[in-house]
Amino acid sequence: MTDISSQSGYEGRPEAGLSDYVQLMKPRVMSLVIFTALAGIVAAPVDVHPVLTLASIICIAVGAGASGALNMWWDADIDARMARTIGRPISAGAVEPGEAMALGLGLSILSVAMLSIFANLLAAGLLAFTIFFYAVIYTMWLKRWTPQNIVIGGAAGAFPPMIGWAAVTGEITVTSCLLFLVIFLWTPPHFWALALFRKEDYAGVGVPMLPVVAGEAATRRQIFVYAALLLPIAVAPAFSAAGGPIYLAVALWATVRFAREAWLVRQRTAEMAEADEYAAEKRLFVTSISYLFLIFGALMADALLRSVIGDFGWPVWF
Amino acid sequence: MAGLQKEHEIHTRRRGRNLGVLGMLVALAVLLFAVTIVKMGPQSGNPTAGATWGESLMNWARE
């Protein structure tokens, strides 16, 4: 008796593969979280064993991934109706919503518990709060309720360097708060640039992003305001315990460039933007991503410089 | 007569998923082990490191 299964026409929803679960955790967001958390650890003025550094980073990354899974679980209904997100694992039918929720909850608990063991309770508490803030405060409440959603909700993305710093120092300091503020002020222009050229998507699902609620002109003004505010805040860490000449130079150059591109966006009208398919807005969005990598990369470069040549008398004001 | 079995794409997905879970479990175990060794300090696993044979014997006798 032969056993030739006719399996060419599999009926039913596809089963999720490993890559689907990886996509569920928003790996691109995770990479940014890992980088900024690592910067917080490396820039801290303490010696840390590399194994403990790696363990802390893994916990923070898993916590970020768990937040992403919970976000995708809650937003599955609108993700399925937006061009940008329709390919996500739940919208695509690969992962069941319940699976995503279970994975998100399970990894949240695991990452927080492990970080409390590998590092300390303060870092674990900050990670737990970050996950809660992103999944509950931002995703379940603010995102669909107020145009200030990503201003307030952006705090969730600003915590990783503070968590990294707390993991190795056991405390929250002015320096770690400054690093938090850099990302907090960076978030609105980053997401509003995206929202400008994805306006129809957000309007179609009823998410009150600023361009949908207040119009493009107001959004362009706000983008520049936050970019301008970023200048003194982004430079301040140069004169903190984590700063140095490399960070000062990079922060000045990168933030002026960012503010300049924000100013160009501010000067444009909707008609000008539609004529070139929002080229300047897309450029600002891409610039904003590289900005964060440059800033926090410079922080790590200064830490490396200090480890090589020792204290070189750089002024520390914070 | 030998049965003919064609592997379906679903088997590939399941194998990938299972290997992924296995890999993560192994990585977690290795990480826990490494962190334990680090946190126990330089004498971990060898409380009498640096002691001579005679000193080790005396320590054992006292215990």
Side-chain angles (χ1 to χ4, degrees):
Chain A
M1 188 159 139
T2 58
D3 182 24
I4 302 173
S5 304
S6 172
Q7 296 177 337
S8 57
Y10 174 69
E11 301 294 332
R13 54 201 313 283
E15 271 195 27
L18 183 65
S19 62
D20 295 310
Y21 292 110
V22 170
Q23 288 305 314
L24 196 66
M25 297 198 291
K26 299 191 181 184
R28 280 185 291 185
V29 174
M30 279 176 73
S31 66
L32 194 59
V33 166
I34 290 169
F35 194 77
T36 54
L38 182 63
I41 290 174
V42 167
V46 292
D47 287 327
V48 188
H49 197 285
V51 169
L52 295 179
T53 298
L54 177 66
S56 300
I57 290 291
I58 289 173
C59 291
I60 296 169
V62 170
S67 305
L70 290 171
N71 170 269
M72 285 202 189
W73 160 66
W74 187 263
D75 279 347
D77 57 334
I78 60 176
D79 283 350
R81 290 155 50 204
M82 291 176 66
R84 187 176 69 92
T85 55
I86 195 169
R88 288 181 172 176
I90 300 176
S91 318
V95 176
E96 297 250 10
E99 279 185 290
M101 186 195 71
L103 188 71
L105 280 177
L107 290 181
S108 297
I109 294 168
L110 182 72
S111 61
V112 170
M114 290 289 103
L115 191 61
S116 71
I117 295 170
F118 296 153
N120 51 64
L121 284 175
L122 175 62
L126 285 172
L127 180 62
F129 179 72
T130 302
I131 296 170
F132 169 78
F133 195 90
Y134 184 68
V136 178
I137 305 292
Y138 169 68
T139 301
M140 296 182 187
W141 178 32
L142 295 175
K143 182 172 178 177
R144 306 187 193 208
W145 180 61
T146 170
Q148 297 299 314
N149 46 16
I150 51 91
V151 176
I152 304 165
F159 276 112
M162 184 183 274
I163 299 172
W165 186 280
V168 297
T169 65
E171 52 186 20
I172 297 171
T173 63
V174 173
T175 306
S176 65
C177 290
L178 282 173
L179 299 181
F180 171 93
L181 271 176
V182 170
I183 302 179
F184 185 72
L185 291 175
W186 164 90
T187 302
H190 168 76
F191 279 105
W192 284 335
L194 172 71
L196 278 173
F197 59 85
R198 292 284 187 182
K199 193 172 57 176
E200 284 73 31
D201 253 0
Y202 286 110
V205 296
V207 172
M209 294 297 280
L210 200 63
V212 176
V213 172
E216 283 205 17
T219 305
R220 292 172 189 281
R221 281 194 298 272
Q222 289 288 308
I223 283 175
F224 180 68
V225 165
Y226 278 91
L229 280 173
L230 194 54
L231 189 56
I233 298 298
V235 171
F239 301 102
S240 70
I246 300 174
Y247 180 85
L248 178 62
V250 172
L252 273 172
W253 173 80
T255 312
V256 166
R257 183 180 78 140
F258 186 60
R260 182 179 157 275
E261 298 219 3
W263 176 251
L264 289 174
V265 167
R266 156 94 175 78
Q267 298 296 89
R268 286 156 62 89
T269 62
E271 292 71 32
M272 291 165 70
E274 279 162 19
D276 63 8
E277 294 181 279
Y278 289 86
E281 291 72 15
K282 289 174 183 172
R283 195 168 55 241
L284 176 62
F285 181 69
V286 171
T287 299
S288 68
I289 296 170
S290 66
Y291 173 83
L292 222 54
F293 279 103
L294 283 169
I295 290 288
F296 284 87
L299 211 61
M300 290 195 274
D302 267 323
L304 181 64
L305 186 68
R306 271 195 302 277
S307 70
V308 169
I309 67 175
D311 181 23
F312 43 86
W314 183 256
V316 176
W317 301 339
F318 303 105
Chain B
M1 186 177 277
L4 292 173
Q5 232 174 345
K6 181 185 172 192
E7 183 161 287
H8 193 272
E9 181 249 356
I10 199 172
H11 299 130
T12 311
R13 285 173 173 264
R14 286 180 185 172
R15 184 180 302 114
R17 213 166 58 207
N18 293 339
L19 286 174
V21 172
L22 174 66
M24 279 183 268
L25 284 171
V26 169
L28 181 63
V30 169
L31 188 64
L32 280 166
F33 180 71
V35 170
T36 303
I37 296 297
V38 168
K39 282 189 173 269
M40 285 175 68
Q43 305 304 321
S44 58
N46 189 5
T48 58
T52 63
W53 178 85
E55 286 167 353
S56 300
L57 189 61
M58 293 300 292
N59 287 336
W60 174 78
R62 278 194 218 106
E63 285 168 21

